[in-house]
Amino acid sequence: MKTIKHKQIAIVGGGPGGLTLARILQMNGASVKVYERDVNRNVRVQGTTLDLHYDSGLKALRKAGLMDAFNASYRPGADKLCITDKQANILLDEFAIEEGESARPEIDRGPLRNILLDSLQPGTVVWDSNFASLERQVSSIKIEFKNGTTADADLVIAADGANSKIRPYITAVKPFYAGVTALDGTVYNSETTVPGIHRLLNGGKIFAMGDEKSLMLSAKGDGSLSFLIGFNADEFWVKNSGIDFADKMQVLAWFKTAFAGWAPIWDDLFVHAGSAFIPRPQYCMPVDQTWEALPDLTMLGDAAHLMPPYAGEGVNMAMLDALELAECLLSDDFADTHTAIAAYEKQMRARAAEITQMTLEQTAVLHSPRAIAHLLEMFRPVE
């Protein structure tokens, strides 16, 4: 690890990618701090369950020495999938990925974060550190946070997600709108609040498709369910819709109109949603993006290659980025951090380009008349 020996590394963002990188670097003696905007580790972790893939997310956990902790925390059976049409007619049920390298075990975001946090040395994560700006000093980078604190580092890694504030310091390339807008929500205590959907969900996932629209639901280990509604829309639909997304009845009225003909059972999601809905226009980085490597600044995960969620690759890509960046920084094959970062970014961009193209194709087909046929082709067991 001659390229980073005696260097202070700052990782901005405490998601799975940033924490995985911190863990692997610390295992090898590097000096690392993670700066996270959440005020503490107990802030509620939102989002669906995560399916980790053998050659990316799970590969990173293996390298990090955390598979025992993962095996004690993942949710067996959560990979069960039910595909329905818009009337909730079941078209494929109880599908689950086989064991081995094709398996995609599911884990909730909270337990995954806890596994990674617990693996780090005490004091590694500096909470309530919302990035404001950075400035190059004579021999280091000064990072300023919105709470007025600062930090100095020799190397800064942006792991700050889709709306990365550090990415513009690296490249002027910006994301484009992918043509689909999503709306996500959560229902707590689903067994009692939405029993019909809860039974259909059966601890796994539901993909309901129709009319070039999607409704995806995931059971979570805390008894809640999360759901994501996707539809083709203008880039500025959220602003122009006039909907108050904190008002469940307004959102329900919109859903009953926009999703006219969908089974009444889905209305319960809106009636019993436990918090405000979050609209998410889907953006994507260009497949052919490139930039010149810097000696002291790089990025991983959504900050580097944001893409829609319809291929389940986001967290896996971020964790694999973390592994590959760590390997480059720790390798003695590179003379300095500049060449190590350049090598990492070259392979990361090539890998991301392939996955991004696949994700864009998946996003388009899931919001097309072929959605159900496509899913059945993907998931129906070969006879």
Side-chain angles (χ1 to χ4, degrees):
M1 55 173 285
K2 63 183 180 182
T3 60
I4 56 173
K5 192 173 183 179
H6 306 307
K7 292 186 182 294
Q8 178 61 46
I9 300 172
I11 300 169
V12 179
L19 295 177
T20 300
L21 176 61
R23 164 65 177 178
I24 297 173
L25 290 176
Q26 274 192 350
M27 290 173 67
N28 290 275
S31 179
V32 183
K33 289 287 186 182
V34 177
Y35 297 93
E36 167 55 40
R37 67 181 181 179
D38 283 350
V39 296
N40 57 55
R41 69 179 291 167
N42 298 316
V43 171
R44 181 181 294 276
V45 180
Q46 303 287 354
T48 63
T49 56
L50 304 168
D51 61 317
L52 298 190
H53 305 173
Y54 182 86
D55 58 356
S56 50
L58 293 177
K59 181 180 181 180
L61 287 181
R62 291 193 297 272
K63 185 71 172 184
L66 297 175
M67 282 306 297
D68 286 345
F70 174 80
N71 288 331
S73 301
Y74 86 101
R75 294 175 47 227
D79 57 345
K80 290 184 297 187
L81 174 62
C82 176
I83 299 174
T84 80
D85 62 16
K86 65 181 183 179
Q87 287 296 326
N89 296 312
I90 296 173
L91 306 175
L92 181 66
D93 196 14
E94 294 299 314
F95 173 84
I97 297 291
E98 61 269 23
E99 298 294 324
E101 296 185 12
S102 297
R104 294 186 172 189
E106 301 266 353
I107 187 169
D108 290 345
R109 289 176 182 267
L112 177 61
R113 183 167 76 165
N114 286 336
I115 289 170
L116 291 165
L117 286 173
D118 292 343
S119 75
L120 300 176
Q121 297 168 10
T124 299
V125 179
V126 184
W127 300 98
D128 191 25
S129 299
N130 197 345
F131 177 86
S133 64
L134 63 78
E135 180 182 357
R136 281 189 170 80
Q137 308 292 313
V138 175
S139 59
S140 65
I141 295 178
K142 180 180 180 181
I143 310 170
E144 296 188 353
F145 302 99
K146 291 183 179 179
N147 62 8
T149 62
T150 62
D152 291 310
D154 301 295
L155 173 61
V156 177
I157 293 115
D160 53 342
N163 298 310
S164 173
K165 301 300 187 295
I166 298 179
R167 180 183 168 93
Y169 291 89
I170 301 173
T171 175
V173 178
K174 295 182 178 181
F176 64 92
Y177 179 59
V180 170
T181 288
L183 195 64
D184 80 22
T186 301
V187 175
Y188 300 106
N189 304 309
S190 63
E191 185 173 9
T192 55
T193 54
V194 289
I197 293 175
H198 180 87
R199 286 191 297 271
L200 188 63
L201 195 54
N202 193 25
K205 295 179 180 292
I206 297 172
F207 288 0
M209 303 285 162
D211 303 333
E212 301 183 16
K213 301 176 175 70
S214 66
L215 173 55
M216 300 181 177
L217 303 91
S218 297
K220 299 178 70 174
D222 63 1
S224 67
L225 67 79
S226 59
F227 61 95
L228 188 72
I229 306 163
F231 49 95
N232 298 306
D234 178 84
E235 181 177 4
F236 305 106
W237 176 86
V238 173
K239 178 181 178 181
N240 297 331
S241 69
I243 298 171
D244 177 1
F245 294 98
D247 185 332
K248 291 191 291 187
M249 292 302 101
Q250 279 195 39
V251 179
L252 174 59
W254 163 80
F255 177 77
K256 290 172 76 71
T257 299
F259 284 64
W262 284 57
I265 190 175
W266 308 123
D267 296 352
D268 288 346
L269 294 170
F270 301 87
V271 173
H272 296 286
S275 57
F277 297 88
I278 304 174
R280 300 189 186 279
Q282 297 299 308
Y283 287 87
C284 187
M285 293 301 176
V287 173
D288 59 350
Q289 66 172 334
T290 189
W291 60 84
E292 291 295 321
L294 299 172
D296 53 4
L297 189 59
T298 187
M299 54 187 168
L300 59 78
D302 283 349
H305 44 65
L306 174 66
M307 63 188 75
Y310 295 102
E313 293 288 349
V315 70
N316 288 284
M317 291 283 284
M319 295 175 73
L320 185 55
D321 289 348
L323 170 58
E324 293 184 351
L325 175 55
E327 289 177 337
C328 287
L329 292 175
L330 294 167
S331 173
D332 288 335
D333 292 340
F334 302 107
D336 51 32
T337 55
H338 198 172
T339 53
I341 287 172
Y344 154 71
E345 290 181 345
K346 181 179 180 180
Q347 66 185 17
M348 177 265 287
R349 281 195 300 264
R351 172 168 47 81
E354 181 179 345
I355 298 296
T356 299
Q357 185 59 47
M358 181 269 289
T359 298
L360 287 171
E361 293 169 0
Q362 183 86 336
T363 300
V365 75
L366 290 180
H367 300 93
S368 77
R370 287 200 64 251
I372 288 176
H374 173 73
L375 283 175
L376 293 177
E377 289 170 5
M378 283 182 60
F379 292 115
R380 182 169 281 147
V382 178
E383 297 181 359

